[in-house]
Each structure stands twice: as C-alpha cells, then as structure tokens.
Amino acid sequence: MCPPTHFRVTYSINPWMDPAKPVDLPLALAQWEDLRDRYRSLGHTVEELAPRPDLPDMVYAANGATVVDGRVLGARFAHPERTGEAAAHLEWFRAHGYAAVGEPEHVNEGEGDFAVTASWLLAGRGFRSSPLSHLEAQEFFGRPVIGLDLVDPRYYHLDTALCVLDDTTDTEIMYYPGAFSPGSRAALGRLFPDAIIATEPDASALGLNAVSDGHHVVLPQAAAGLFGPLRERGYEPIAMDLSELLKGGGSVKCCTQELRDPGR
C-alpha cells in the first residue's frame, strides 16, 4: 500500500474523476490510514510503499504488479502519467528478497486487470491491459489465463467490475455483468454459475473494488446492496469510507496490492 501524497491527474483517462470536486488531502490520508489499520486489525500484515510526489497515482498500489506464489510480474502502464510507478514497485520487491521478478513487454496494469483464483488468472482487457499481456502472464505464472472483455468505460479495470471472494477455490466471485461483453458474460456464467451478481448502483459505487481474505470482505460502504448477499454466503462485509480516494478513481482494491507468497 502507498500513502497518498497529492492528486494531480489527467481526468480524461478516468471516468470516475471530476475536476469540479477537488480532493480533501487530509481526509484522503485519514481514509487510507483507516483502511490500513483495518487490515491490521483483521490480522493481516501490511507493508507500505513509500510515495513519490511526482507519481500521484501510487496510492492505487494494486496496479503496480501481480504476485502469485511468490512470483512477481511487474506492470507496464498504458498512460505516461503512471509509467514511473512500475520501476518503484519492482525496486521494492527486489529489495525485499523476491527472486522471481519479471519485467513485462506488454501493457498490463497489475491487479487492476488480473484477478487470482485457486487455479486461474482472470484477465481484463479493452481499456488498459493489452490482450498480449494475457499470454505473457500465462507463460510467467504457468496458470491458465481467462480473458474477459470490458466494454463500459466506467469499468476500465477488471477490479472495478469483479472480485474474487475466495482464492482457495475456483468458484467464489462477485461481478457486474453490464461491464462485460456478451461473450464474456456467457463465459463468466459458465465458470461461476453461483456468483454473486452486483446491481448497477452497487457496481457504480465501486462495490466490486473490494478485497476478501476468504471470510472478511472489505468494500466501500456505499455498496450496501452487496452486504446481504455476502452474509448469506457466509462472508463478513467490512464497510469502508474511501470517498476521497474514489474521486481519484479507486477504492479498497485499488489501494491494495496482495502479496501472495506462501513462503512469507
């Protein structure tokens, strides 16, 4: 996770951002700290990535890399505003003893577009990550990659439209069908017939930009319609107010890069 320093971004590349609604930086920092502290209260270890003032989007740490079984595939960003973040993330992993670190040839925005189940990588494409990155990730991780086409610009990353609820299985997800092409919706329906289906109001509140540890699901408080279905499945929803971070285009998952390393 990377604390926010300031927000000065190109609004044209992100439909969630509105230049008429300036970010309250102290409140954004307080909300980020609340998320960090909530993870720790749930028993999770949180590593912090030092922010750089010239990289205002580093707070959205999910995009910097993808980690599976201790192997790290770096990011290659679609827009120049974020290019420098890729190296900052890889420097952190190398400094912390990760040996298998790959620098990608093709555009991928980390866990923004890669979601991990027990056996697969679900991979978004259409707005940011290149379809060629899916083949690259499959070769690097040795896992089947299932490509999913995003068609609504509000859901420009997979992590705005889909959340894996239990990465020890290949069955437990929640998603918003309207974000996907007809073929991708059909594929999701076949693969995940028992998925939780989000409504448009909950999806537009970035309710699917959530993080689950297999029991607790940390998600935006505005996505209240997801709380009941999650409880019915045995999950415990944890509501967070990240309204200031939403102004920059992200929420819980965007601020969280998961370090899936069974050896640590």
Side-chain angles (χ1 to χ4, degrees):
M1 298 180 69
C2 177
T5 51
H6 64 274
F7 289 86
R8 180 177 49 76
V9 292
T10 303
Y11 294 98
S12 62
I13 67 173
N14 191 321
W16 295 103
M17 294 186 281
D18 182 354
K21 298 178 180 178
V23 172
D24 181 329
L25 182 56
L27 180 56
L29 179 59
Q31 290 176 349
W32 179 90
E33 289 174 339
D34 189 27
L35 176 63
R36 176 200 61 192
D37 295 345
R38 184 61 58 92
Y39 284 141
R40 287 173 172 163
S41 75
L42 295 173
H44 301 298
T45 299
V46 177
E47 303 281 0
E48 296 185 29
L49 180 65
R52 284 175 41 179
D54 59 324
L55 297 173
D57 283 326
M58 277 186 72
V59 67
Y60 304 121
N63 304 135
T66 304
V67 186
V68 183
D69 297 330
R71 295 178 61 82
V72 182
L73 179 63
R76 183 178 293 272
F77 287 90
H79 294 283
E81 291 87 346
R82 302 195 67 180
T83 299
E85 295 177 43
H89 281 263
L90 293 184
E91 287 170 9
W92 186 92
F93 282 108
R94 289 176 174 132
H96 286 78
Y98 287 79
V101 177
E103 297 191 34
E105 294 182 15
H106 304 291
V107 172
N108 86 74
E109 298 204 338
E111 292 191 9
D113 275 327
F114 289 135
V116 181
T117 73
S119 304
W120 309 322
L121 280 180
L122 306 179
R125 61 194 176 206
F127 295 102
R128 300 291 179 86
S129 296
S130 164
L132 295 174
S133 73
H134 298 185
L135 300 175
E136 190 171 35
Q138 183 166 276
E139 287 299 310
F140 184 79
F141 291 117
R143 285 175 172 240
V145 172
I146 298 168
L148 299 168
D149 290 304
L150 297 163
V151 296
D152 185 329
R154 295 176 300 165
Y155 307 101
Y156 54 90
H157 274 152
L158 184 65
D159 71 355
T160 65
L162 181 148
C163 174
V164 173
L165 294 171
D166 186 349
D167 65 8
T168 67
T169 76
D170 290 318
T171 60
E172 293 286 302
I173 72 166
M174 57 181 180
Y175 70 98
Y176 173 54
F180 298 94
S181 69
S184 294
R185 288 199 301 271
L188 287 167
R190 286 175 177 269
L191 291 169
F192 304 102
D194 298 320
I196 294 175
I197 303 300
T199 64
E200 196 280 334
D202 290 322
S204 65
L206 281 194
L208 297 163
N209 197 246
V211 172
S212 175
D213 62 11
H215 177 63
H216 307 98
V217 181
V218 185
L219 75 168
Q221 66 180 14
L226 290 171
F227 297 173
L230 286 167
R231 291 189 181 104
E232 290 171 6
R233 298 289 181 92
Y235 296 100
E236 181 181 344
I238 308 291
M240 303 297 302
D241 179 9
L242 294 185
S243 53
E244 292 303 302
L245 282 303
L246 179 60
K247 292 178 182 178
S251 192
V252 174
K253 176 57 184 174
C254 286
C255 295
T256 310
Q257 185 178 114
E258 297 181 55
L259 306 180
R260 301 179 186 85
D261 188 345
R264 289 173 179 263

